Amino acid sequence: MRKIAILLSVLILLSACDLFRLRDSEPPTKPPPWNSLTTTWEKCLENIQFCYLDSRNVVKYSGLFTDAYRFYFSAQDINDFNINLNWNRANEQDMLINLHSRCDSIGLELETLPGQNDEIGANVAKVYRKYILKLYRADSADPQVFSGNFELHIAREFGNWYIARWYDYRSYATPTWGKVKYDFSQ
């Protein structure tokens, strides 16, 4: 009899705590911003920003580049940091994975260059931008700042735009995007 009383007490307690009540599922998280089809060169450029600003886009990053893609480090970075790399889309992908795994957040600002017009054709484009890349880490109150200018050669293949070549230029005393790529390549 005592066992039945204990069993009934346990059942009453379990039913009182809503253990068996159906609950609503958690709503899915908002997907990261992304242009699935880069039918304009602007969407391709925008996707670069989306990859740096939201780590969930890392897996899509190498898809922004042509198979023959090359990154060209600034001449000053090659001399100052002894960089001697043949940089391709696989290096880009590995670098961005490392970057997101070591930083808490990333800020990226792109601005047009005064007096430097983009050269846009039907199937090729040269895009010139000033950039400021900020890397935020929990162990530092201030972000690491990287800035300079870049020139992207973007080509249309099969209706979408892809980056074929990326030239990095140092224009300030701060380190460049190329330095970020080199530092986070391993």
Side-chain angles (χ1 to χ4, degrees), residues 9-10 25-26 41 63 66-68 75 78-79 82 89 112 168 171:
S9 298
V10 169
S25 62
E26 292 283 327
W41 64 267
T66 64
D67 290 337
I78 291 170
N79 291 331
N82 198 24
R89 70 189 257 178
T112 57
D168 192 34
S171 55

Side-chain angles (χ1 to χ4, degrees), residues 122-133:
N123 294 311
V124 294
K126 289 182 183 176
V127 177
Y128 306 93
R129 293 290 181 271
K130 171 186 170 182
Y131 63 84
I132 299 173
L133 182 64

Side-chain angles (χ1 to χ4, degrees), residues 143-161:
Q144 278 185 284
V145 178
F146 301 84
S147 62
N149 298 328
F150 68 69
E151 173 184 337
L152 293 182
H153 292 213
I154 307 174
R156 184 170 24 195
E157 297 178 359
F158 310 111
N160 287 306
W161 291 81

Side-chain angles (χ1 to χ4, degrees), residues 73 77-78 81-87 182:
F73 293 90
D77 287 348
I78 291 170
F81 306 115
N82 198 24
I83 297 173
N84 188 12
L85 294 177
N86 186 9
W87 194 269
Y182 178 72

Side-chain angles (χ1 to χ4, degrees), residues 8 28 55-56 65 87 99 123 143 152 159 179:
L8 284 174
S55 64
R56 296 175 293 173
F65 305 97
W87 194 269
L99 183 65
N123 294 311
L152 293 182
K179 180 70 166 119

